[in-house]
Amino acid sequence: MIKKKPFFIFNPKSYLLRKETLELSKVANDLANKYKDIIDIYVTSPNIYLKELVDCFKYIKVSAQHIDQIELGRGMGRVVPETLKDIGVEATFLNHAEHQQSISDLSRSVKRAKQLGIITIVCADSIDEARSIATFNPDIILCEPTELIGTGKVSDESYINKTNSIIRKANKDVLIMQAAGISSAKDVYRTILMGADGTGCTSGIVKADNPKKMLKDMVESLVKAVKDRN
Amino acid sequence: MIKKKPFFIFNPKSYLLRKETLELSKVANDLANKYKDIIDIYVTSPNIYLKELVDCFKYIKVSAQHIDQIELGRGMGRVVPETLKDIGVEATFLNHAEHQQSISDLSRSVKRAKQLGIITIVCADSIDEARSIATFNPDIILCEPTELIGTGKVSDESYINKTNSIIRKANKDVLIMQAAGISSAKDVYRTILMGADGTGCTSGIVKADNPKKMLKDMVESLVKAVKDRN
Amino acid sequence: MIKKKPFFIFNPKSYLLRKETLELSKVANDLANKYKDIIDIYVTSPNIYLKELVDCFKYIKVSAQHIDQIELGRGMGRVVPETLKDIGVEATFLNHAEHQQSISDLSRSVKRAKQLGIITIVCADSIDEARSIATFNPDIILCEPTELIGTGKVSDESYINKTNSIIRKANKDVLIMQAAGISSAKDVYRTILMGADGTGCTSGIVKADNPKKMLKDMVESLVKAVKDRN
Amino acid sequence: MIKKKPFFIFNPKSYLLRKETLELSKVANDLANKYKDIIDIYVTSPNIYLKELVDCFKYIKVSAQHIDQIELGRGMGRVVPETLKDIGVEATFLNHAEHQQSISDLSRSVKRAKQLGIITIVCADSIDEARSIATFNPDIILCEPTELIGTGKVSDESYINKTNSIIRKANKDVLIMQAAGISSAKDVYRTILMGADGTGCTSGIVKADNPKKMLKDMVESLVKAVKDRN
């Protein structure tokens, strides 16, 4: 399965207008093409840019940032999962700390996405949460303690080791993403060497002096880590 | 001001996939072109289709269904008002019964949209709410008692007269939209004759045997009502 | 451990004013006294009546209906777990379909309640949810598909068997409550014989012609089921 | 009307356990008795303590911190307005920054409270919000910019003057409470002299070295201000 490769997720959240979104996605797409045999690159986007990303960039996996548990029908300003599939979106985040979901809603969202063939990246805020989410059998679990988001502080070694071990034990099919406070290529390397399947970044890239270079450096650091690990 | 013309809002909510969205928007756009001296036509859409509607159809006013009160920055699956402006969206619904906002959030959303030049269509669920919302000075107030949404039952004459009168008295600059249960061209005609500045429809169109014809009939009924009223 | 006995939960939700709350709690308390060696009886209540129930009735386990994840400090109209403990409340519902919690919030709520020695009754809306919640190691999991709440329709045999089996397998320490649509003493009997550790009722009691008698009949049916099962 | 007297609201939010709640409420009650011809004193409380406050202290106006828009019936951990009335609660906060309400919900809450004879204290976060809330005709509007809550910083003179003037103009029947950052008896005096009908305090009292003395000093400062103003 293609999604089982190591991966990097560029998640610009709501930081960027259209022009910067396209420019950085192009960089990501070129890297995704270059390293397509080794890694996957995901780019998330507010819904407003999703269609254009899907149409312009064929090597990245374009990802939504949230879906709602509604069917085609009523609902104003909500995200019907079918509409993502309809335009070619391949993945979605779920339960991000900035868009939390009830456990009932999350359970149904993972199931609905699976039915539609949409890859699920589910955020877990603690060890207990990661263990619980693993039972839903999502494609990727992102372990990121809320209190570290946007701080540039990485999770400490013991937290990473512990969540890695607990998720592997609970569900060996799920990919593990560790991404708290990633702010340099070195952080990326270290995280992969510690056993994560993937990592990613928001503010470390969009607030960098040279976002394109930082994105490139991080992805290349991931590729190097994957090679060194094997 | 262009927005002061009588208007029709086609609000397909979350009923449609991309193909139907484009097909019905094309019908709306042709009508908007034909009657551009007499009325305005708005088409709302989930964010995922907004860019394409803006790019393809120059005569309709493309409208979002909700905005969030966040700045460019953090936020997953949220709608930053600047991003709508950035791609050319002209209007947005606010406080729809299917996406209610706190009074604090609504107050700021109207202000933020105004700063960006985005037309605001604010939903009011009761007479008390309409009076309160009028103080925010939005462009359009939609009077639609929640219990009638999607029922095909129109507001009774006294409700329409009363909300019209209270909003006119509270704020003579705001346009009044009456749209509860509009399900035929006749409903459109009657509503305008009773004094509304505009009307609109969701299920009456998307669930019609022939949605394109229903949309056309309703718009032409609006045009006739406007002429007859003068 | 005392809480490991079979149990009945009378959950009047928000149906009752003070007088009826006290009257029915008295019935529950007399039954709890009479059968104290065989079963536990819980009575839930809006916070406004909790102190009086704790003070007046020593045999029932008085239970809150929700707690919030806040510390003593700011918060208006929220429920600080410490305040429940402070007045002697013994248990709390969590994640009820009528007060859903994010997975992060639920995880912390169970942990906080445990630290304070408050028994946790966590609601699960589906099999997937029950499996996930079992990882939090709550005291009781209530299996109740949302669509059956208040309908008087009981979960079918296969649903009960399946959730029982999955929870037992995931966590043998948790007590299982099956309570969807319990509306007669017979339903209580059947549910316990099918393997649940406990059951309970809302509308079947408060809307009965004779609520006190119905409560008594249900509890005695539970006692009989427990005896017959052994 | 009794509620038209100048007033002080001691709002301990969720800071206190039962013992401290009763001790400080006793101080408030003694002051309320002493100055009953001149001012009203309100004490808010989490629901868990309301009944005891009502039963023990006859001179203070016991106030809830929030109500929900539900009828007697379903609802777990919600606050049915009737239950407050049933036990003798006289007032309630609405739309506090720490428990915001949709405009629809707020509109109905004010109306429901009025029907039940419960005094409404509605929080407004901005000048626009205050103007809008005045149309609901609540008993008291609390003007408190969210960003100043708990900071010990008072609203500046121009903000107080402007909100006072806008509310008086919009609705001469509503009482005006200015309470941002009140942390000393001097702040109380100044606020009343600037034209507010009442004021109140949370952290300035509960975090004071001597909370009882601070409460007493503030109330006596209010009494002095009222006398000096006349």
Side-chain angles (χ1 to χ4, degrees), chain B residues 95 100-108 111 123 125-126 128-129 131-133 135-136 146-147, chain D residues 95 100-108 111 123 125-126 128-129 131-133 135-136 146-147:
Chain B
N95 196 46
Q100 293 186 33
Q101 299 181 253
S102 76
I103 188 165
S104 169
D105 187 35
L106 179 57
S107 160
R108 288 163 197 219
K111 186 177 280 189
C123 303
D125 182 31
S126 67
D128 285 352
E129 225 179 298
R131 187 191 288 114
S132 171
I133 286 168
T135 69
F136 295 140
T146 304
E147 66 267 24
Chain D
N95 196 45
Q100 293 186 32
Q101 299 180 254
S102 76
I103 189 164
S104 168
D105 187 35
L106 179 57
S107 160
R108 289 163 196 218
K111 186 177 277 189
C123 303
D125 183 30
S126 67
D128 285 353
E129 224 179 299
R131 187 190 289 115
S132 170
I133 287 168
T135 69
F136 294 140
T146 304
E147 65 268 25

Coordinates of all heavy atoms in Angstrom, one line a residue, chain B residues 95 100-108 111 123 125-126 128-129 131-133 135-136 146-147, chain D residues 95 100-108 111 123 125-126 128-129 131-133 135-136 146-147:
Chain B
N95 N -24.6 33.2 11.0 CA -25.6 32.8 12.0 C -26.7 32.0 11.4 O -27.9 32.1 11.9 CB -26.1 34.1 12.7 CG -26.8 33.7 14.0 OD1 -26.3 33.0 14.8 ND2 -28.0 34.3 14.2
Q100 N -25.0 28.2 14.0 CA -25.2 29.4 14.9 C -24.0 30.0 15.5 O -23.0 29.3 15.7 CB -26.2 29.0 16.0 CG -27.6 28.7 15.4 CD -28.6 28.5 16.5 OE1 -28.6 29.1 17.6 NE2 -29.6 27.6 16.2
Q101 N -24.0 31.3 15.7 CA -22.8 32.0 16.3 C -23.2 32.6 17.6 O -24.4 33.1 17.8 CB -22.4 33.0 15.3 CG -21.9 32.4 14.0 CD -21.4 33.4 13.0 OE1 -22.1 33.7 12.0 NE2 -20.3 34.0 13.2
S102 N -22.2 32.8 18.5 CA -22.5 33.5 19.7 C -22.7 35.0 19.3 O -22.2 35.4 18.2 CB -21.3 33.4 20.6 OG -20.2 34.2 20.2
I103 N -23.3 35.7 20.1 CA -23.6 37.1 19.8 C -22.3 37.9 19.7 O -22.1 38.8 18.8 CB -24.5 37.7 20.9 CG1 -25.0 39.1 20.4 CG2 -24.0 37.8 22.2 CD1 -26.2 39.6 21.2
S104 N -21.3 37.5 20.5 CA -20.0 38.2 20.4 C -19.3 37.8 19.0 O -18.8 38.7 18.3 CB -19.1 37.7 21.5 OG -17.8 38.1 21.4
D105 N -19.3 36.6 18.7 CA -18.7 36.2 17.4 C -19.5 36.8 16.2 O -18.8 37.3 15.3 CB -18.9 34.6 17.4 CG -18.2 34.0 16.2 OD1 -17.1 34.5 15.8 OD2 -18.7 33.0 15.7
L106 N -20.8 36.9 16.3 CA -21.5 37.4 15.2 C -21.2 38.9 15.0 O -21.0 39.4 13.9 CB -23.0 37.2 15.4 CG -24.0 37.8 14.4 CD1 -23.7 37.2 13.0 CD2 -25.4 37.5 14.7
S107 N -21.2 39.6 16.1 CA -20.9 41.0 16.1 C -19.5 41.3 15.4 O -19.4 42.2 14.6 CB -20.9 41.6 17.5 OG -20.2 42.8 17.6
R108 N -18.5 40.5 15.8 CA -17.2 40.7 15.2 C -17.2 40.2 13.7 O -16.5 40.8 12.9 CB -16.2 39.8 15.9 CG -15.9 40.4 17.3 CD -15.2 39.4 18.2 NE -15.3 39.9 19.6 CZ -14.4 39.8 20.5 NH1 -13.3 39.2 20.2 NH2 -14.5 40.3 21.7
K111 N -18.5 42.9 11.5 CA -17.6 44.0 11.4 C -16.4 43.7 10.5 O -15.9 44.4 9.7 CB -17.1 44.4 12.8 CG -16.2 45.6 12.9 CD -15.8 45.9 14.4 CE -16.9 46.7 15.1 NZ -16.4 47.2 16.4
C123 N -28.8 35.6 9.4 CA -30.1 34.9 9.7 C -30.6 35.2 11.0 O -29.9 35.3 12.0 CB -29.9 33.4 9.5 SG -29.2 33.0 7.9
D125 N -33.9 34.2 13.6 CA -34.8 33.1 13.9 C -36.1 33.5 14.5 O -37.1 32.8 14.6 CB -34.1 32.1 14.8 CG -34.9 30.9 15.1 OD1 -35.6 30.5 14.3 OD2 -34.7 30.4 16.3
S126 N -36.1 34.8 14.9 CA -37.4 35.3 15.6 C -37.4 36.8 15.4 O -36.4 37.4 15.0 CB -37.3 34.9 17.1 OG -36.3 35.7 17.7
D128 N -37.5 39.0 17.9 CA -36.5 39.6 18.8 C -35.1 39.5 18.3 O -34.3 40.5 18.4 CB -36.5 38.8 20.2 CG -37.8 39.1 21.0 OD1 -38.5 40.0 20.6 OD2 -38.0 38.4 22.0
E129 N -34.8 38.4 17.6 CA -33.5 38.3 17.1 C -33.2 39.2 15.9 O -32.2 39.8 15.8 CB -33.3 36.8 16.6 CG -32.0 36.2 17.0 CD -31.9 34.8 16.5 OE1 -32.8 33.9 16.9 OE2 -31.0 34.5 15.7
R131 N -34.6 42.2 15.4 CA -34.4 43.5 16.0 C -33.0 43.7 16.5 O -32.4 44.7 16.3 CB -35.4 43.8 17.1 CG -35.5 45.2 17.6 CD -36.3 45.3 18.9 NE -37.7 45.2 18.6 CZ -38.5 44.1 19.1 NH1 -37.9 43.2 19.8 NH2 -39.8 44.1 18.8
S132 N -32.5 42.7 17.2 CA -31.2 42.7 17.8 C -30.1 42.8 16.7 O -29.1 43.5 16.8 CB -31.0 41.5 18.7 OG -29.7 41.4 19.1
I133 N -30.3 41.9 15.7 CA -29.3 41.8 14.6 C -29.3 43.1 13.8 O -28.2 43.5 13.3 CB -29.6 40.6 13.7 CG1 -29.2 39.3 14.5 CG2 -28.9 40.7 12.4 CD1 -29.7 38.1 13.9
T135 N -29.2 46.0 14.8 CA -28.2 47.0 15.3 C -26.8 46.8 14.8 O -26.0 47.7 15.0 CB -28.2 46.9 16.9 OG1 -27.6 45.7 17.3 CG2 -29.6 47.0 17.5
F136 N -26.5 45.6 14.3 CA -25.1 45.3 13.8 C -25.0 45.9 12.4 O -23.9 45.9 11.8 CB -24.9 43.8 13.7 CG -24.8 43.1 15.0 CD1 -25.3 41.9 15.2 CD2 -24.2 43.7 16.1 CE1 -25.2 41.2 16.4 CE2 -24.1 43.1 17.3 CZ -24.6 41.8 17.5
T146 N -36.6 29.1 12.5 CA -36.0 27.8 12.4 C -37.0 26.6 12.1 O -36.7 25.7 11.4 CB -35.1 27.4 13.6 OG1 -34.2 28.5 13.8 CG2 -34.4 26.2 13.5
E147 N -38.1 26.7 12.8 CA -39.0 25.6 12.7 C -39.6 25.4 11.3 O -40.2 24.4 11.0 CB -40.1 25.6 13.8 CG -41.0 26.8 13.7 CD -40.6 28.0 14.5 OE1 -39.4 28.1 14.8 OE2 -41.4 28.8 14.9
Chain D
N95 N -24.8 34.6 28.9 CA -23.8 35.0 27.9 C -22.5 35.5 28.5 O -21.8 36.3 27.9 CB -24.4 36.1 27.0 CG -23.6 36.3 25.7 OD1 -23.3 35.3 25.1 ND2 -23.3 37.5 25.4
Q100 N -20.5 31.4 26.6 CA -21.2 32.2 25.6 C -22.4 31.5 24.9 O -22.4 30.3 24.9 CB -20.2 32.6 24.4 CG -19.1 33.5 25.0 CD -18.2 34.1 23.9 OE1 -18.6 34.2 22.7 NE2 -17.0 34.3 24.2
Q101 N -23.3 32.3 24.5 CA -24.6 31.8 24.0 C -24.8 32.3 22.6 O -24.4 33.4 22.2 CB -25.8 32.2 24.8 CG -25.6 31.6 26.3 CD -26.8 32.0 27.1 OE1 -26.7 32.9 28.0 NE2 -28.0 31.4 26.9
S102 N -25.4 31.5 21.7 CA -25.8 32.0 20.4 C -26.8 33.1 20.6 O -27.5 33.2 21.6 CB -26.4 30.9 19.6 OG -27.7 30.6 20.0
I103 N -27.0 33.9 19.6 CA -27.9 35.0 19.7 C -29.3 34.5 19.8 O -30.1 35.1 20.6 CB -27.7 36.0 18.5 CG1 -28.5 37.3 18.8 CG2 -28.0 35.4 17.2 CD1 -28.1 38.4 17.9
S104 N -29.6 33.4 19.2 CA -30.9 32.8 19.3 C -31.2 32.3 20.7 O -32.2 32.5 21.3 CB -31.0 31.7 18.2 OG -32.2 30.9 18.5
D105 N -30.2 31.6 21.2 CA -30.3 31.0 22.5 C -30.5 32.1 23.6 O -31.3 32.0 24.5 CB -29.0 30.2 22.8 CG -29.1 29.4 24.1 OD1 -30.2 28.9 24.4 OD2 -28.0 29.3 24.7
L106 N -29.7 33.2 23.4 CA -29.7 34.3 24.4 C -31.1 35.0 24.4 O -31.7 35.3 25.4 CB -28.6 35.3 24.1 CG -28.5 36.5 25.0 CD1 -28.4 36.1 26.4 CD2 -27.4 37.4 24.6
S107 N -31.6 35.2 23.2 CA -32.9 35.8 23.0 C -33.9 35.1 23.8 O -34.8 35.6 24.5 CB -33.2 36.0 21.5 OG -34.5 36.1 21.3
R108 N -33.9 33.7 23.6 CA -34.9 32.9 24.3 C -34.7 32.8 25.8 O -35.6 32.7 26.5 CB -34.9 31.5 23.7 CG -35.4 31.5 22.3 CD -35.0 30.2 21.5 NE -35.3 30.4 20.1 CZ -35.7 29.5 19.3 NH1 -36.0 28.2 19.8 NH2 -35.9 29.7 18.0
K111 N -36.1 35.9 27.5 CA -37.6 35.8 27.5 C -38.1 34.7 28.5 O -39.0 35.0 29.3 CB -38.1 35.4 26.1 CG -39.5 35.4 25.9 CD -39.9 35.1 24.4 CE -39.8 36.3 23.6 NZ -40.4 36.1 22.2
C123 N -24.1 39.6 29.9 CA -22.8 40.1 29.6 C -22.6 40.5 28.2 O -23.0 39.8 27.3 CB -21.7 39.0 30.0 SG -21.9 38.5 31.7
D125 N -19.6 42.1 25.5 CA -18.1 42.1 25.4 C -17.6 43.3 24.7 O -16.4 43.5 24.6 CB -17.8 40.8 24.6 CG -16.3 40.6 24.5 OD1 -15.5 41.1 25.3 OD2 -15.9 40.0 23.4
S126 N -18.5 44.1 24.0 CA -18.1 45.2 23.2 C -19.3 46.2 23.2 O -20.4 45.9 23.6 CB -17.8 44.7 21.8 OG -18.9 44.3 21.2
D128 N -20.7 47.3 20.5 CA -21.7 46.8 19.5 C -22.6 45.7 20.2 O -23.9 45.7 19.9 CB -21.1 46.1 18.3 CG -20.5 47.1 17.4 OD1 -20.7 48.3 17.6 OD2 -19.8 46.8 16.4
E129 N -22.0 44.9 21.0 CA -22.8 43.8 21.6 C -23.7 44.4 22.7 O -24.9 43.9 22.8 CB -21.8 42.9 22.3 CG -22.1 41.4 22.1 CD -21.1 40.5 22.8 OE1 -19.9 40.6 22.5 OE2 -21.5 39.8 23.7
R131 N -25.2 47.3 22.6 CA -26.3 47.9 21.9 C -27.3 46.8 21.5 O -28.5 47.0 21.6 CB -25.8 48.7 20.7 CG -26.8 49.5 20.0 CD -26.3 50.1 18.7 NE -25.3 51.1 18.9 CZ -24.0 51.1 18.5 NH1 -23.6 49.9 17.9 NH2 -23.2 52.1 18.7
S132 N -26.8 45.7 21.0 CA -27.6 44.7 20.5 C -28.4 44.0 21.6 O -29.6 43.7 21.5 CB -26.7 43.7 19.7 OG -27.5 42.5 19.4
I133 N -27.7 43.8 22.7 CA -28.3 43.1 23.9 C -29.4 44.0 24.5 O -30.4 43.4 25.0 CB -27.2 42.7 24.9 CG1 -26.4 41.5 24.3 CG2 -27.8 42.3 26.2 CD1 -25.2 41.2 25.1
T135 N -31.6 45.5 23.1 CA -32.9 45.3 22.5 C -33.7 44.1 23.1 O -34.9 44.0 22.9 CB -32.8 45.0 21.0 OG1 -32.2 43.8 20.8 CG2 -32.0 46.1 20.3
F136 N -33.0 43.3 23.8 CA -33.7 42.1 24.5 C -34.3 42.6 25.8 O -35.0 41.8 26.4 CB -32.7 41.0 24.8 CG -32.1 40.3 23.6 CD1 -30.8 39.9 23.5 CD2 -32.9 40.1 22.5 CE1 -30.2 39.3 22.4 CE2 -32.4 39.4 21.3 CZ -31.1 39.1 21.3
T146 N -13.9 41.2 27.2 CA -13.3 39.9 27.5 C -11.8 40.0 27.8 O -11.3 39.4 28.8 CB -13.5 38.9 26.4 OG1 -14.9 38.8 26.1 CG2 -13.0 37.5 26.8
E147 N -11.1 40.8 27.1 CA -9.7 40.9 27.3 C -9.3 41.4 28.6 O -8.1 41.3 29.0 CB -9.0 41.6 26.1 CG -9.3 43.1 26.0 CD -10.5 43.4 25.1 OE1 -11.3 42.5 24.9 OE2 -10.5 44.5 24.6

